[in-house]
Amino acid sequence: MKILIVTHLTPFPQNSGYPIVVGNTIKGLISSGHEVSLFSLNPKKNKVYNNNHTAEQAVPSSYYAHDIDTSVSASHAFLSLFTGKLYTVERFYDADFERKLVQDIKQSNYDIIQFEGLFVTPYLPAIRKHTKAKLIYRAHHIEYLVWERMARQKSDPFKKFYLRLNARRIKAFEVKQFALFDAVTVFTNQDKETVQQHCSSNLPVEIVPVGLDLSRYKPNHKYTRFPSLFFLGAMDWLPNREGIEWFLENFSNDLTEGDLKAPFYVAGNDIPERFDDYERVGKIFIHGEVDDALEFVNSKAVMIVPLLSGGGMRVKIVEGMAMQKCIISTSLGAEGINYSHGENILIANTPQEFKRAIKRCIQDEHFCRRIGLSARKLVEQQHDTLKINNRLTDFYEQMLNG
């Protein structure tokens, strides 16, 4: 098969999270003998895909990255309230990128074109005009649900109003996009049910979970500090920022002066400056972006995922499990993963539950190791990229032969 992947985040090997899932997909497809091309937006501050990392990630037969500034402008976001424009998605559209994309499609005879997430769907109409390929939408999560859940967490009337309004507009746009594709793939059963609620029963919707190249995930407990807690996530994604702020508001005193005697490390790109106020020497560390995400994860003991909103399958949790981490997450954060509470993850939805779970973990290293080992087994069984890519290519074949 000849396949084109279109994404809004450059998949570079040293990263983690959704970009590496896209990278794993490319690697798996190429290793299976398929010809893969990649067209990617390269947002401001993002790194560039490095073709020299061939040991970690196979090189697409053709690759184009287009620099674009997707930084959120408060004034543009505010004006969108009155213009009716969907600024959340609109800021990812670039006419030059579209021209390059169409030019490539005219010259290539693709069998499959896969769109990675909602933010590249504005390019769908132009692509549809110039190809007979099957157009597949991979939903990393249901975007409007993220905004609805964030709105429910807000007490400020204006913020609640803005988030609800944006959720309604995104929902109208997102549901329309589903129906314009030949098929949809999702990470979780919950997302499949949501898509099917809004679309014709004739639209194929396939569950293809997050897949990881497990050869990259090599835990070494010799370099793990115990006890220690950590959070790793992109802070330009509002649910991450909201969740870690909630956690710090509830537990900073316990971590610095109370009975949760373990250092807490926060890492991720685009951490707001106000988070520096939470830093406490030797107790709470606000790192910002780290050079090597997996090395950072390996060096800490207990992963905290206090998500209060969001959706889809959290790639960071699957990666944490692959690194044999003991993870404490809300049930929403662990959505879509076939976990067993107390066996391969700990679920906590209230401050009291989080505190009990943290206490248990920092007092019992053997317990943490047992949870982590069980988590790794789960990932090996259900998230190995070789197995996942076979499911994806089987689905492609069904679409082409159907």
Side-chain angles (χ1 to χ4, degrees):
M1 279 184 284
K2 192 171 183 179
I3 301 162
L4 172 64
I5 304 289
V6 184
T7 179
H8 73 286
L9 286 174
T10 306
F12 45 93
Q14 63 270 36
N15 196 14
S16 61
Y18 286 117
I20 202 63
V21 171
V22 177
N24 285 342
T25 299
I26 294 169
K27 180 179 180 180
L29 292 171
I30 292 172
S31 64
S32 298
H34 303 290
E35 183 180 341
V36 182
S37 297
L38 173 66
F39 259 69
S40 173
L41 293 171
N42 189 46
K44 185 179 179 182
K45 297 182 181 179
N46 199 7
K47 300 177 183 177
V48 177
Y49 186 97
N50 187 344
N51 285 348
N52 294 325
H53 289 267
T54 52
E56 295 184 9
Q57 183 161 343
V59 180
S61 57
S62 65
Y63 169 60
Y64 175 72
H66 188 84
D67 291 341
I68 183 174
D69 186 355
T70 59
S71 302
V72 175
S73 164
S75 59
H76 287 166
F78 179 74
L79 288 173
S80 69
L81 291 174
F82 308 100
T83 62
K85 293 182 178 179
L86 190 55
Y87 175 66
T88 305
V89 175
E90 185 185 59
R91 60 196 174 95
F92 290 89
Y93 176 78
D94 184 282
D96 289 335
F97 181 72
E98 183 175 85
R99 281 192 288 271
K100 289 276 190 180
L101 194 51
V102 169
Q103 182 181 3
D104 178 76
I105 288 168
K106 286 180 177 179
Q107 296 171 352
S108 305
N109 187 26
Y110 291 113
D111 299 301
I112 298 287
I113 300 177
Q114 180 160 297
F115 293 68
E116 297 286 341
L118 190 66
F119 301 125
V120 289
T121 59
Y123 302 101
L124 173 63
I127 291 175
R128 176 69 81 179
K129 291 178 183 176
H130 300 285
T131 185
K132 294 181 180 179
K134 293 295 183 180
L135 305 185
I136 311 294
Y137 176 57
R138 179 150 74 165
H140 293 185
H141 54 257
I142 306 301
E143 188 70 24
Y144 81 81
L145 289 179
V146 173
W147 290 80
E148 285 184 354
R149 289 165 174 170
M150 285 193 296
R152 287 197 289 269
Q153 298 297 326
K154 299 299 180 184
S155 56
D156 181 279
F158 178 76
K159 289 181 180 178
K160 186 179 286 287
F161 166 78
Y162 173 74
L163 292 171
R164 282 178 172 171
L165 176 63
N166 219 35
R168 288 196 296 271
R169 290 178 176 175
I170 291 172
K171 182 177 183 179
F173 177 81
E174 191 169 19
V175 169
K176 182 180 178 182
Q177 299 311 299
F178 293 153
L180 296 177
F181 285 90
D182 297 309
V184 175
T185 71
V186 295
F187 289 151
T188 72
N189 185 62
Q190 293 94 325
D191 286 351
K192 178 178 180 177
E193 291 176 354
T194 301
V195 173
Q196 290 178 326
Q197 287 172 9
H198 297 297
C199 295
S200 163
S201 58
N202 295 325
L203 178 70
V205 183
E206 185 75 3
I207 301 173
V208 184
V210 168
L212 298 182
D213 177 4
L214 293 176
S215 66
R216 294 185 67 241
Y217 299 83
K218 300 175 181 178
N220 187 337
H221 297 298
K222 182 171 67 173
Y223 299 107
T224 301
R225 178 178 181 180
F226 186 91
S228 59
L229 312 171
F230 75 97
F231 171 87
L232 176 65
M235 289 296 201
D236 56 352
W237 195 52
L238 287 176
N240 277 343
R241 194 158 72 232
E242 165 197 80
I244 198 60
E245 204 157 20
W246 173 88
F247 183 81
L248 287 167
E249 287 291 335
N250 278 280
F251 295 106
S252 58
N253 287 338
D254 289 314
L255 293 167
T256 56
E257 301 171 8
D259 54 355
L260 299 183
K261 302 294 185 182
F264 180 47
Y265 301 83
V266 177
N269 60 297
D270 295 321
I271 297 181
E273 288 186 10
R274 68 176 185 274
F275 276 75
D276 291 342
D277 295 338
Y278 290 108
E279 276 204 310
R280 297 292 184 274
V281 176
K283 296 180 180 180
I284 299 178
F285 304 83
I286 308 297
H287 277 281
E289 190 171 2
V290 292
D291 292 332
D292 189 320
L294 296 184
E295 183 180 306
F296 174 81
V297 171
N298 186 70
S299 67
K300 312 296 181 287
V302 180
M303 184 177 190
I304 303 295
V305 188
L307 278 187
L308 308 176
S309 59
M313 184 177 289
R314 306 285 4 110
V315 181
K316 285 291 193 298
I317 288 186
V318 181
E319 290 190 297
M321 287 179 156
M323 291 297 291
Q324 297 182 15
K325 293 296 108 175
C326 180
I327 300 170
I328 306 172
S329 172
T330 59
S331 53
L332 179 60
E335 185 177 85
I337 298 170
N338 291 325
Y339 65 82
S340 296
H341 169 56
E343 180 181 337
N344 43 43
I345 196 172
L346 300 177
I347 299 299
N349 291 309
T350 66
Q352 295 76 18
E353 290 173 351
F354 261 99
K355 187 167 185 176
R356 284 196 297 270
I358 293 170
K359 267 190 171 183
R360 174 75 191 275
C361 290
I362 64 177
Q363 293 172 358
D364 191 341
E365 185 173 5
H366 176 75
F367 173 74
C368 288
R369 291 277 187 93
R370 180 173 63 78
I371 295 288
L373 286 169
S374 182
R376 172 74 184 207
K377 289 178 183 177
L378 174 69
V379 173
E380 290 172 350
Q381 292 167 1
Q382 301 190 18
H383 297 281
D384 187 300
T385 194
L386 296 177
K387 300 174 184 176
I388 298 301
N389 273 299
N390 286 339
R391 291 174 61 172
L392 183 61
T393 52
D394 287 347
F395 183 58
Y396 286 165
E397 294 285 359
Q398 291 173 25
M399 293 304 303
L400 293 174
N401 297 329

